[in-house]
Amino acid sequence: MTTAQPGPPGVLQGVGVGRLAVVGPVACVRPAPALPPDAPLLVDGEPAGPEQVHEVVERAFTEVAAALREQSAGATGTVRDVLAATAQMADDAALRSQVLARVDAGEPPVGAIDAVVQMFAGMFEQAGGYLAERVTDLRSVRDRVVARAMGLPDPGVPHLERPSVVVARDLAPADTAALDLTHVLAIVTELGGPTGHTAIIAGQLGLPCVVRVAGVTDLEDGTVVAVDAAAGTVLPHPDDAVRDAYERRRTAQAALAEDTSPGATSDGHAVALLANIGTAADAERVGAGAEGVGLFRTEVLFLERVQAPTVEEQADAYAAALRAAGGRKVVVRTLDAGADKPLAFATFPDEENPALGVRGYRLVRSHPELLDTQLAALVRAQAATGATPWVMAPMIATPDEARAFAQRARAAGVATVGVMVEVPAAALRAADILAEVDFVSIGTNDLAQYTMATDRLRGELADLLDVWQPAVLDLVAATARAGRATRKPVGVCGESAADPLMALVLVGLGVTSLSAAPGALPAVRHALRRHTQQRCEEIADAALGARTAPEARAAALALVDADVRATLAL
């Protein structure tokens, strides 16, 4: 993570996530139209008459359906299927006729569209099954038709016809996950934070990302920009010198990726280098540079749905990921919903502070069936593939919670059970927790959030979420000590593991595996290969002895091999 600093004139400064740099044209993501139900439809600046309103609304439906069909024809995989389903909804005769009937009765178009969509959404949710799953498509049609009728830009991620830099005020994780990766060079947002889920997914997909970039949405579509995730900058209209520098960086980074040997220090101390994924498709993209999967975020299966996925649906997804791993280790995190990942069918909409409320494992208190179904699906996937996943629960705060989860998972047939250490209480009592489970994995993003009392989505507080904060390092060290004492694995699957310099500190503290976005692993492997385990311990001691986050990083950097310092500058 690169914190925001003042840049040279013309440069838009933000917070970078990752180390990559690219040049390409801007493609702006438009927000859904926020209009009152009685917003008037204007034609040539004057309120439209009844016949004009009917004509405009009907044309809007037709144009939206045609545009979606065209986009679907040019897309692939999940994106194609989603666009095709949405096009069918825009073509639905009953939906269109009821909207037009209300319009002909004198109802304002926005209000008419809202009312009919809300009615259909309620019917679909009540019917359940396949119809319930189409509510998201229905609301997407609403946004698009309202925008067309009112003369506004189409909302959402635009259809990308060439490799582009996707620019948005903010971007929902579901939108990020559905991007057509063949045409996305980078993601830049005006809001968000470096440890928010959009930034994490961007890193997972191997895309450079810069968040908190004030004014970036003022750029026009097609403006060529240079995006540098390492520096956290966006430069409009880059010259040839910038392009050449980026190409040299790309070549150097590609050279590092050619080494796919197992993670280890220069004296042979093994450190497993694993990949973070969110879907089975992500597992298929994990190359030989990863020794397996250290974090499978299963909540992607649950988001944007009005009903939980069935045992069969989940089992198929888990089995696909296990097969894609080809016998390599796969660590699956059970559902981590709540906070910034609400579920329509489970989380509480009226929580005053959802990050401190019913999220992660705590959902078992109100919806135990979600966990039981997921465990059953994982065991079914294990039987179907012959592969044995490691399974861990998020948001564990006490040894009793660890014991309860372990008992539940083992009773279901899970062989290797662990928990996440994201809450300071869990880090402080890590030895007691490890007495109940087979392993732990430290989620440094949430651990920093709860240690520093700082919402990880508040990008303006990114300095408090710095991975080098001494208080956070103290808790990581305490957890690693507990792992050594109990002789059980302690991994890190937060964004700290993606930082080559921090990786040396983590290994020096006693962390046994590092899991990050696949694109981050080559630089981490290179850093480890240039230092002995003893040197890593010296680097860790130096960081722990610092008073502030910048001082901790500087102390670590001072002890690092010169070649690795050059790599960090890429």
Side-chain angles (χ1 to χ4, degrees):
M1 179 186 78
T2 301
T3 54
Q5 299 291 335
V11 173
L12 301 177
Q13 186 70 49
V15 180
V17 181
R19 310 204 62 77
L20 301 178
V22 297
V23 175
V26 163
C28 291
V29 176
R30 306 297 180 186
L35 298 171
D38 59 352
L41 193 156
L42 304 179
V43 175
D44 297 328
E46 299 293 332
E51 292 184 2
Q52 289 176 305
V53 173
H54 183 109
E55 179 184 348
V56 168
V57 172
E58 186 168 30
R59 185 169 62 245
F61 271 101
T62 300
E63 290 176 353
V64 166
L68 288 167
R69 282 195 299 271
E70 181 180 354
Q71 292 179 33
S72 176
T76 59
T78 302
V79 176
R80 178 193 61 209
D81 296 340
V82 169
L83 291 170
T86 312
Q88 289 179 347
M89 186 66 70
D91 262 337
D92 186 82
L95 176 67
R96 185 181 305 200
S97 64
Q98 292 207 31
V99 169
L100 292 174
R102 285 176 173 264
V103 166
D104 292 342
E107 195 168 333
V110 175
I113 296 169
D114 282 346
V116 174
V117 165
Q118 188 60 33
M119 179 186 68
F120 273 72
M123 292 167 53
F124 288 0
E125 288 171 349
Q126 186 173 12
Y130 174 71
L131 283 177
E133 299 302 333
R134 300 199 67 185
V135 169
T136 299
D137 300 334
L138 181 61
R139 290 182 174 139
S140 177
V141 167
R142 178 265 176 206
D143 293 340
R144 292 168 184 264
V145 171
V146 167
R148 289 284 179 122
M150 305 303 286
L152 301 172
D154 285 347
V157 178
H159 176 54
L160 302 177
E161 298 180 347
R162 56 179 175 171
S164 303
V165 175
V166 175
V167 171
R169 181 166 173 77
D170 205 356
L171 202 58
D175 290 334
T176 311
L179 289 171
D180 181 356
L181 299 183
T182 61
H183 289 321
V184 180
L185 295 173
I187 295 175
V188 180
T189 65
E190 199 163 56
L191 302 178
T195 58
H197 288 276
T198 294
I200 290 172
I201 292 173
Q204 180 176 291
L205 297 174
L207 300 172
C209 180
V210 185
V211 300
R212 306 298 302 177
V213 185
V216 72
T217 54
D218 295 334
L219 295 174
E220 294 184 1
D221 277 319
T223 301
V224 176
V225 295
V227 179
D228 186 344
T233 58
V234 178
L235 173 64
H237 313 295
D239 59 20
D240 289 342
V242 171
R243 294 172 183 264
D244 291 344
Y246 281 18
E247 179 59 24
R248 289 193 296 272
R249 285 174 57 178
R250 188 198 66 76
T251 301
Q253 289 161 343
L256 292 180
E258 292 178 1
D259 181 2
T260 59
S261 58
T265 58
S266 62
D267 55 342
H269 177 78
V271 181
L273 299 182
L274 309 168
N276 294 342
I277 66 170
T279 66
D282 293 337
E284 294 170 0
R285 287 191 286 267
V286 173
E291 297 166 61
V293 172
L295 173 63
F296 181 1
R297 301 182 179 95
T298 58
E299 57 271 10
V300 175
L301 287 166
F302 294 76
L303 297 175
E304 302 297 316
R305 299 181 62 139
V306 296
Q307 289 185 330
T310 64
V311 171
E312 292 76 16
E313 288 176 296
Q314 293 187 58
D316 288 346
Y318 305 148
L322 291 171
R323 291 190 185 99
R328 292 175 289 178
K329 176 181 178 178
V330 177
V331 182
V332 180
R333 182 178 70 188
T334 58
L335 179 61
D336 185 20
D340 60 326
K341 296 172 289 184
L343 297 179
F345 51 85
T347 49
F348 299 95
D350 57 348
E351 282 191 292
E352 292 185 3
N353 195 336
L356 299 178
V358 182
R359 61 164 295 197
Y361 174 72
R362 297 172 183 180
L363 282 171
V364 76
R365 300 179 182 219
S366 54
H367 294 280
E369 74 283 356
L370 291 177
L371 178 59
D372 291 338
T373 298
Q374 189 164 29
L375 293 173
L378 284 163
V379 172
R380 187 176 297 190
Q382 175 178 300
T385 62
T388 303
W390 293 29
V391 181
M392 62 183 181
M395 282 296 291
I396 294 294
T398 68
D400 284 348
E401 286 183 334
R403 180 190 299 118
F405 172 72
Q407 290 174 342
R408 206 176 196 109
R410 288 170 180 147
V414 174
T416 306
V417 181
V419 300
M420 295 283 293
V421 174
E422 303 159 290
V423 180
L428 293 170
R429 307 301 299 185
D432 292 335
I433 286 176
L434 276 164
E436 305 294 343
V437 296
D438 303 311
F439 72 97
V440 298
S441 186
I442 305 172
T444 51
N445 300 337
D446 270 326
L447 184 60
Q449 169 175 248
Y450 294 123
T451 302
M452 304 305 294
T454 302
D455 187 342
R456 59 190 283 192
L457 301 183
R458 302 297 301 184
E460 68 270 27
L461 301 176
D463 59 304
L464 295 176
L465 294 171
D466 193 321
V467 296
W468 294 93
Q469 284 290 350
V472 180
L473 290 178
D474 286 343
L475 292 173
V476 173
T479 306
R481 282 195 300 271
R484 288 196 300 270
T486 58
R487 297 184 178 182
K488 291 183 178 180
V490 174
V492 169
C493 60
E495 293 308 294
S496 292
D499 181 342
L501 182 57
M502 176 57 74
L504 299 175
V505 173
L506 296 173
V507 171
L509 293 175
V511 167
T512 58
S513 66
L514 301 170
S515 188
L521 297 180
V524 171
R525 176 182 290 105
H526 177 71
L528 292 176
R529 288 283 179 184
R530 302 288 297 192
H531 298 84
T532 64
Q533 174 64 17
Q534 181 179 345
R535 191 59 163 174
C536 289
E537 292 171 3
E538 293 169 357
I539 293 170
D541 288 342
L544 286 176
R547 187 181 64 86
T548 67
E551 290 174 5
R553 189 181 191 281
L557 189 61
L559 297 177
V560 166
D561 174 85
D563 183 59
V564 172
R565 283 202 295 271
T567 300
L568 293 171
L570 291 176

